[in-house]
Amino acid sequence: MIKKKTKKNSDEVVSDSEEMTNETETTEEKSELEIENEALKEEVVKLKNDYFKAYADAENIRKRQERDFELSMKYRIQTFADSILPALDNLERALASEVTEATQSYRDGVEMIYEQLMNALKQEGVTPIEALDKKFDPNVHQALQVEEVEGVKPDTIVEEYQKGYMIKDRVLRASLVKVSQ
């Protein structure tokens, strides 16, 4: 019986040392797993940050493209309107000329064409700049001449040489004017 106890005791000692070895290995494995877990957490944080940056960049690009598209749609007629303005000037000169009985029907035709062009441009946001008897505004008027005129306030437009036009909120062509001093 004593031998059996000894055998049991030696088995218990072997078992205890195995448990200690297992605990040490388990602690080392836990330590390695914790380190790996921390590294993975840091990588997740970095990847999330990279994702948010990429998402923000994509949103900024989308917004910039929308803004550029809206501007191009808003001012799409600008080039055409700019090229048609000399023709409008010529039509205005024709309408300002003297009318006789023989030229009345031609004048009526020119007036209809002028009105149709002006209406088409107005539908696209092109409007004439009011200048005569208005205060001079260097943002929309270009002074070609300054003259002292009695009975007129200084910086008032007294003559318009060429009509100016706006497209929406932008100056398409400034009015060429004479300003009182």
Side-chain angles (χ1 to χ4, degrees):
M1 278 187 155
I2 292 177
K3 274 190 178 183
K4 277 189 176 179
K5 275 189 174 180
T6 310
K7 195 173 183 183
K8 259 187 172 177
N9 281 340
S10 72
D11 285 341
E12 285 178 17
V13 169
V14 169
S15 175
D16 284 343
S17 68
E18 283 177 7
E19 281 180 26
M20 289 188 81
T21 306
N22 285 344
E23 281 180 25
T24 307
E25 287 176 7
T26 305
T27 305
E28 286 176 9
E29 286 177 13
K30 275 186 178 179
S31 174
E32 287 176 17
L33 289 175
E34 285 174 353
I35 292 171
E36 186 178 348
N37 189 20
E38 287 299 318
L40 290 174
K41 283 181 181 179
E42 288 174 8
E43 187 175 348
V44 165
V45 168
K46 181 187 174 295
L47 291 175
K48 277 184 180 179
N49 191 25
D50 290 346
Y51 167 77
F52 289 131
K53 284 181 184 177
Y55 183 79
D57 287 343
E59 280 297 305
N60 289 339
I61 289 170
R62 183 186 61 78
K63 288 177 185 175
R64 187 178 318 118
Q65 285 177 336
E66 284 177 2
R67 188 174 48 251
D68 290 347
F69 178 74
E70 287 173 6
L71 282 175
S72 70
M73 291 305 294
K74 185 175 183 180
Y75 300 111
R76 71 185 181 281
I77 193 158
Q78 183 171 352
T79 305
F80 172 73
D82 199 31
S83 64
I84 200 90
L85 292 182
L88 283 174
D89 294 337
N90 290 331
L91 289 172
E92 287 174 355
R93 284 186 203 102
L95 291 171
S97 66
E98 276 191 44
V99 179
T100 63
E101 280 186 41
T103 61
Q104 182 61 43
S105 61
Y106 290 115
R107 186 189 190 290
D108 292 342
V110 168
E111 189 172 4
M112 286 190 298
I113 292 168
Y114 176 76
E115 290 299 323
Q116 286 176 337
L117 283 173
M118 287 303 292
N119 287 334
L121 289 172
K122 282 180 185 174
Q123 287 176 350
E124 294 297 326
V126 178
T127 56
I129 297 171
E130 296 295 323
L132 204 53
D133 298 326
K134 303 286 182 188
K135 184 165 175 57
F136 177 75
D137 180 1
N139 295 316
V140 294
H141 304 122
Q142 182 178 351
L144 294 181
Q145 193 174 6
V146 178
E147 185 178 288
E148 193 169 322
V149 179
E150 287 185 35
V152 179
K153 293 179 182 177
D155 290 332
T156 301
I157 297 170
V158 292
E159 190 176 341
E160 183 178 41
Y161 296 117
Q162 186 179 51
K163 193 178 280 190
Y165 291 90
M166 299 280 291
I167 182 167
K168 312 268 192 229
D169 56 349
R170 222 183 246 182
V171 175
L172 184 60
R173 180 176 79 183
S175 298
L176 303 179
V177 296
K178 181 195 293 187
V179 181
S180 67
Q181 197 173 33

